[in-house]
Amino acid sequence: MKSFATVFLLLTITFSSVSAQDFNANISRYAQDYAQERLYIHFDKSSYAPGDSIWFKVYVMEQVMPADKSKTVYLDWSDEKGKLLYRTSSPLAEGTTYGQFAVPAKYAGQYVHVKAYTRWMLNFDTAFLYNKDIKILSNKPNLALAKNKITPEITFFPEGGDAIEGVVNKIAFKANDQYGRPLLIKGNVQSTKGTNVDSLNIIHDGMGYFYLNPTEGETYIAKWKVAGTTQEYTTPIPDIKKMGLAMQVTQVKNNKAFSIVGSDEFTKSGSQFHVLGTMYQQPVFTITREFKDGAIQGIVPTDALPSGILTITVFDNKWTPLAERITYINHEEYVFKPDFEVMHWGLNKRAKNIIEIKVPDSLVASLSVSVTDLEIDADSSDNIISHFLLTGDLKGKVYNPAHYFINNSDSISRQLDLVMLTHGWRRFNWENVVKGNFPKIDYPRDSTYMTISGKIYGASSVQLRDAGSIILLYSQDKRPSEIFTVPIAADGSFNDPTRIFFDTSKIYYQLPKKKGLDDASVQFMQNKMGPLTGNSFASGAYDNRSSDTSGNARHFKLSAATLNELEFFGGKLLDAVTIKKRTKTPMQLLDEKYASGLFQGGDAMQFDLRTDTRALSARSIFSYLQGMVAGLQINETQNPPSVIWRGGAPQFFIDESPATTDLISSISVSDVAYIKVLRPPFIGAVGGGANGAISIYTKRGDDVESKPGEGLANNTVTGYTAIRQFYSPNYTVEIRDDKKDLRTTLYWNPEVLTRPGNNSVILSFYNNDVSNGFRVIIEGMTKDGRLAHYQTTLE
């Protein structure tokens, strides 16, 4: 790949001076020490219903390579009022990570906003953070949107930054509504004297340009209408400057040509001017020249440069910026294309499908794969290539950026140049570069993962010196508790870099007893960054607002039916799987363990006190049962307590031996494992048990477990967000006749990895009950910075 694994090439430097050397040293330091990261997210689909899980994979790049310095990425999910719904934090490995977010089942908003960033990205312009509004489906019409009247806007962009008096200026324009959607307009540019100068003709997606040669003392306006309407608008052309430079950049074969003209004060000054080219914050060429025949012209060979935005900036001899233009280079060397093959076709209900994905054998690639119902809505306006190569380096919204990468034809290149003319690139504050004022780093990079770490407080340096190790105990992911020791540093800090911490858990700790640390305390994971303030509103401003009425309707219908199933069964649809071989429930196993003979099975209510948190606060067996059994009346003020059920007194048993109520009241709740309330008649009771029975079972030796960490100091600690596995049913072994399968995402896999010698991956998934076709989207990034976006349909 051209220049992707090497340092950028400084093409030409002429007429160097001390100030030029200082300037180049400053900009090189920016590139080396303050390189900025860009972030993209691949979602399993483009919209969701309340109760859905949003599955995602994050890709992060620094310049043209996967970002490997930052180790943590954060995603803030907020509602339409800017309230933080949830915060996801995930570990980055080779520039990628993945996770999920559950949309609240009762969410009533039209959008959920996600802002994604690394801690390092917060040190720079927040306009370059990843922001997206995700559509939340509803059968309610968006009345607010329907009532909104379209507000046309037009903005003018002189090439190079300013329109200069006395020279020919190329001025681009962009016409759109308040949502950023392009408008088709017609109009003219006129002087205030009423003279027509040029016409406003749309070339592509609301964009176009015209030429203007302003005369002294004259101002200009544009009069225009939206096609199909009668209302005329008048918009002033930006102020004309008497002094300055105008720049034009054109394509000459495979190279870029620039031409700089200006007012007399510049062209006749005899001063030297610097033309600097930068890409991804790296300097790629510097040319220093004087005006000749009223212009500075030059050719920039682009063969050695990578694809992306090239910024050309003109400075005077004091390195004051006078004009700037961005232009695009597209060699397509950044692309790798996965091969996709269907190995087994199964579009019938719950049929199995097998696909193979293959990449060139030399590549180390990380891919994410999504398979969705073909007939639901989809958003193809942006993808991993258009984001990293275009929108991630631009301020302002680009409509349908993926369009500019469908091919590399001349017509697409001309359209892409319109995007360059109507957007700005301001990664650099040139004034700060000249002065050597470097960015203030308020957010140190997360250069290590969230591991079990902390610091000891309340101890002197003498006590901490040679303190030894702290003893820690924790359990994670329902695994058995684990005890380990971590050395204490001289400043009281400790860290075990081998233990990356997920989810929320209590960590118990014990400090060295012989070091006088009895009164010391511990705070864990102090470097973890808290949520940001001022969350973004989920307004739809970061949505392409394309309308797929039929796709939205089908998507909502299937999701709503899924949610109804979820509520009916009282659980997460398709999470619990019924296997052909039926297994016993935990309560059935508990009953088999304790009950015997006539006490086993039967019509009864069962209570497992070993796992019921209500048993922890109950002062007696009777207070625990109060309110748990319908119709059971308990009076503990009497001695012995009285119990009435269904008009009579039930019989009591302790470990299946008859017992009185005063004996029952003397038993500690913590000693009880299981209570079984047997409905009448219970033939195991004396007299036939016309009023039922209550059988109490005390804990056995294998039930009495010591509580890990009991008696030790502890803190509740939260690490990375727990990463769930996307559930994909296996109908070869599962029976699902009791529930409908209406999944709109048939398959999601964010962890498809290839390596040299292992460049082929075979994946399988099952159809749902209703889909007649699939949409497959594959995105990915290689270790050397190549990108892939592949989309196909199966019908």
Side-chain angles (χ1 to χ4, degrees):
M1 298 177 65
K2 296 178 183 177
S3 306
F4 266 57
T6 61
V7 177
F8 284 82
L9 177 65
L10 190 65
L11 297 180
T12 308
I13 300 179
T14 61
F15 301 107
S16 296
S17 65
V18 175
S19 60
Q21 292 173 356
D22 292 341
F23 180 84
N24 282 312
N26 289 345
I27 196 172
S28 295
R29 182 177 172 187
Y30 262 90
Q32 180 177 343
D33 297 343
Y34 302 97
Q36 297 176 37
E37 296 167 334
R38 308 186 312 287
L39 186 151
Y40 170 76
I41 303 179
H42 177 197
F43 298 95
D44 65 301
K45 52 188 178 182
S46 61
S47 63
Y48 301 83
D52 276 354
S53 287
I54 299 175
W55 302 90
F56 61 85
K57 181 169 184 178
V58 178
Y59 296 88
V60 185
M61 295 191 80
E62 180 182 299
Q63 296 180 351
V64 293
M65 300 291 285
D68 60 356
K69 296 176 183 176
S70 290
K71 301 301 182 184
T72 300
V73 69
Y74 305 89
L75 287 81
D76 293 342
W77 307 84
S78 53
D79 65 12
E80 292 179 321
K81 296 181 179 180
K83 178 184 176 182
L84 185 66
L85 298 171
Y86 193 71
R87 191 188 205 209
T88 306
S89 57
S90 301
L92 281 167
E94 296 183 347
T96 68
T97 189
Y98 53 91
Q100 71 290 317
F101 165 70
V103 180
K106 302 298 182 181
Y107 190 76
Q110 295 283 337
Y111 292 94
V112 165
H113 184 88
V114 57
K115 177 187 291 182
Y117 50 90
T118 64
R119 190 194 295 238
W120 181 250
M121 291 170 69
L122 297 176
N123 294 301
F124 310 101
D125 192 336
T126 56
F128 294 101
L129 302 183
Y130 181 91
N131 284 278
K132 184 176 179 64
D133 288 321
I134 298 175
K135 179 67 179 174
I136 303 301
L137 299 167
S138 172
N139 60 350
K140 299 178 182 178
N142 189 344
L143 297 179
L145 182 60
K147 292 179 181 178
N148 279 348
K149 183 180 179 180
I150 295 301
T151 304
E153 303 171 353
I154 189 168
T155 313
F156 297 98
F157 305 87
E159 185 174 14
D162 296 309
I164 308 301
E165 188 177 284
V167 300
V168 177
N169 299 266
K170 183 178 182 180
I171 300 180
F173 65 89
K174 181 171 67 170
N176 53 265
D177 64 14
Q178 69 270 40
Y179 304 115
R181 295 177 297 193
L183 295 175
L184 180 61
I185 67 164
K186 290 186 177 181
N188 293 287
V189 178
Q190 300 176 357
S191 69
T192 50
K193 297 177 181 179
T195 304
N196 282 338
V197 175
D198 206 340
S199 58
L200 297 175
N201 293 317
I202 298 296
I203 298 174
H204 174 71
D205 273 354
M207 297 177 291
Y209 61 85
F210 59 90
Y211 290 97
L212 178 64
N213 188 352
T215 58
E216 183 178 355
E218 187 62 276
T219 57
Y220 300 86
I221 58 173
K223 290 189 175 183
W224 55 280
K225 298 177 182 179
V226 177
T229 67
T230 58
Q231 183 175 354
E232 185 175 69
Y233 300 89
T234 300
T235 306
I237 304 299
D239 291 340
I240 309 299
K241 289 192 174 184
K242 291 182 176 295
M243 292 179 54
L245 298 180
M247 175 170 55
Q248 291 189 20
V249 175
T250 56
Q251 186 79 24
V252 178
K253 295 184 179 180
N254 294 326
N255 300 317
K256 298 290 182 180
F258 64 86
S259 176
I260 303 164
V261 295
S263 56
D264 289 345
E265 290 82 359
F266 288 97
T267 58
K268 296 179 181 179
S269 66
S271 299
Q272 293 181 342
F273 293 83
H274 309 287
V275 184
L276 172 70
T278 54
M279 295 188 74
Y280 303 104
Q281 298 174 262
Q282 292 274 6
V284 294
F285 72 84
T286 305
I287 299 172
T288 303
R289 292 181 183 171
E290 297 178 5
F291 275 93
K292 184 178 180 180
D293 297 329
I296 296 176
Q297 296 180 330
I299 298 290
V300 180
T302 62
D303 287 345
L305 299 178
S307 296
I309 295 173
L310 168 65
T311 304
I312 302 175
T313 310
V314 183
F315 300 85
D316 64 15
N317 58 359
K318 296 181 179 179
W319 292 97
T320 302
L322 302 174
E324 185 169 86
R325 164 77 145 92
I326 60 174
T327 186
Y328 204 85
I329 297 172
N330 190 1
H331 298 308
E332 296 186 295
E333 84 287 0
Y334 50 82
V335 175
F336 78 97
K337 184 178 180 180
D339 290 329
F340 178 85
E341 182 180 352
V342 178
M343 301 182 69
H344 182 269
W345 195 252
L347 278 174
N348 295 327
K349 174 181 176 181
R350 304 190 181 189
K352 186 176 184 178
N353 297 272
I354 302 175
I355 60 176
E356 181 183 23
I357 300 172
K358 187 181 295 185
V359 303
D361 189 58
S362 61
L363 298 181
V364 177
S366 176
L367 308 173
S368 45
V369 180
S370 170
V371 182
T372 59
D373 183 292
L374 179 60
E375 296 180 24
I376 68 170
D377 54 296
D379 180 8
S380 59
S381 63
D382 197 9
N383 57 53
I384 190 172
I385 293 175
S386 57
H387 189 84
F388 277 135
L389 271 295
L390 181 63
T391 55
D393 262 336
L394 289 177
K395 287 186 177 181
K397 185 174 182 178
V398 178
Y399 182 80
N400 195 19
H403 166 78
Y404 303 103
F405 296 89
I406 56 176
N407 59 53
N408 200 11
S409 64
D410 290 343
S411 60
I412 293 291
S413 297
R414 287 192 293 269
Q415 293 169 3
L416 182 53
D417 195 55
L418 283 171
V419 177
M420 300 293 98
L421 284 166
T422 55
H423 287 79
W425 189 96
R426 293 294 182 272
R427 291 281 193 182
F428 283 118
N429 181 319
W430 292 118
E431 182 180 352
N432 287 337
V433 173
V434 172
K435 294 180 179 179
N437 295 334
F438 298 102
K440 181 183 178 183
I441 302 302
D442 295 320
Y443 297 91
R445 194 191 299 270
D446 284 315
S447 57
T448 59
Y449 292 110
M450 288 187 195
T451 55
I452 296 183
S453 60
K455 191 170 184 178
I456 299 170
Y457 290 89
S460 67
S461 57
V462 175
Q463 291 172 319
L464 292 172
R465 189 184 308 134
D466 302 323
S469 298
I470 183 173
I471 300 174
L472 301 175
L473 181 149
Y474 86 109
S475 59
Q476 197 174 34
D477 295 332
K478 300 180 180 180
R479 291 179 294 184
S481 300
E482 186 177 358
I483 299 176
F484 56 97
T485 61
V486 182
I488 301 171
D491 64 350
S493 63
F494 58 89
N495 179 34
D496 186 342
T498 65
R499 299 177 189 273
I500 300 177
F501 192 69
F502 284 85
D503 216 345
T504 300
S505 178
K506 277 189 176 181
I507 298 182
Y508 297 84
Y509 64 89
Q510 180 175 304
L511 296 168
K513 294 182 177 180
K514 296 182 180 180
K515 300 295 181 179
L517 301 177
D518 295 341
D519 296 329
S521 62
V522 174
Q523 293 185 16
F524 288 91
M525 299 179 70
Q526 291 183 290
N527 293 330
K528 182 181 178 182
M529 187 176 70
L532 301 179
T533 58
N535 295 299
S536 300
F537 296 86
S539 63
Y542 292 93
D543 177 54
N544 70 355
R545 290 185 177 266
S546 61
S547 180
D548 181 358
T549 305
S550 60
N552 284 339
R554 175 176 173 82
H555 195 172
F556 178 79
K557 180 180 179 181
L558 294 178
S559 296
T562 299
L563 188 60
N564 289 336
E565 290 262 321
L566 187 153
E567 292 175 347
F568 178 78
F569 286 99
K572 188 166 291 184
L573 193 67
L574 291 175
D575 255 14
V577 179
T578 304
I579 308 299
K580 288 183 177 179
K581 182 180 179 181
R582 303 291 180 178
T583 59
K584 297 178 180 178
T585 67
M587 200 62 79
Q588 287 175 324
L589 295 173
L590 184 68
D591 192 62
E592 288 181 1
K593 177 178 179 179
Y594 285 97
S596 61
L598 296 175
F599 288 85
Q600 197 170 73
D603 185 13
M605 286 173 282
Q606 301 162 277
F607 305 95
D608 184 354
L609 277 70
R610 304 171 308 168
T611 59
D612 193 344
T613 56
R614 291 169 295 188
L616 298 175
S617 59
R619 65 180 184 276
S620 67
I621 298 297
F622 294 118
S623 66
Y624 173 81
L625 289 172
Q626 189 78 49
M628 301 281 283
V629 180
L632 187 66
Q633 301 175 21
I634 300 174
N635 187 346
E636 288 190 82
T637 61
Q638 295 182 2
N639 189 16
S642 67
V643 180
I644 302 297
W645 193 33
R646 301 193 177 186
Q651 292 196 21
F652 283 86
F653 298 85
I654 297 178
D655 295 329
E656 299 183 353
S657 297
T660 60
T661 56
D662 59 343
L663 179 59
I664 299 296
S665 63
S666 67
I667 298 176
S668 172
V669 180
S670 61
D671 293 331
V672 176
Y674 178 45
I675 297 178
K676 190 171 186 180
V677 180
L678 299 115
R679 295 182 176 89
F682 175 56
I683 60 176
V686 177
N691 297 308
I694 298 177
S695 186
I696 298 166
Y697 297 89
T698 58
K699 290 180 179 178
R700 299 176 182 176
D702 56 349
D703 288 320
V704 181
E705 299 179 2
S706 61
K707 296 180 181 179
E710 189 171 19
L712 295 179
N714 63 83
N715 280 355
T716 299
V717 182
T718 300
Y720 288 119
T721 305
I723 298 176
R724 292 173 20 219
Q725 183 175 2
F726 179 83
Y727 174 71
S728 184
N730 183 351
Y731 287 126
T732 302
V733 297
E734 296 176 19
I735 299 174
R736 304 290 310 172
D737 293 335
D738 55 339
K739 299 180 184 179
K740 295 179 181 178
D741 185 350
L742 303 175
R743 293 168 298 133
T744 52
T745 299
L746 284 301
Y747 184 76
W748 167 254
N749 190 338
E751 203 176 9
V752 178
L753 307 175
T754 68
R755 296 288 186 270
N758 187 21
N759 66 328
S760 174
V761 179
I762 295 176
L763 307 172
S764 63
F765 63 93
Y766 289 81
N767 194 8
N768 57 21
D769 292 345
V770 293
S771 291
N772 297 313
F774 308 134
R775 178 180 292 105
V776 181
I777 297 178
I778 304 170
E779 296 200 308
M781 178 171 64
T782 65
K783 196 171 183 178
D784 63 353
R786 300 183 192 223
L787 304 170
H789 173 80
Y790 177 84
Q791 180 171 328
T792 189
T793 58
L794 308 176
E795 300 182 69

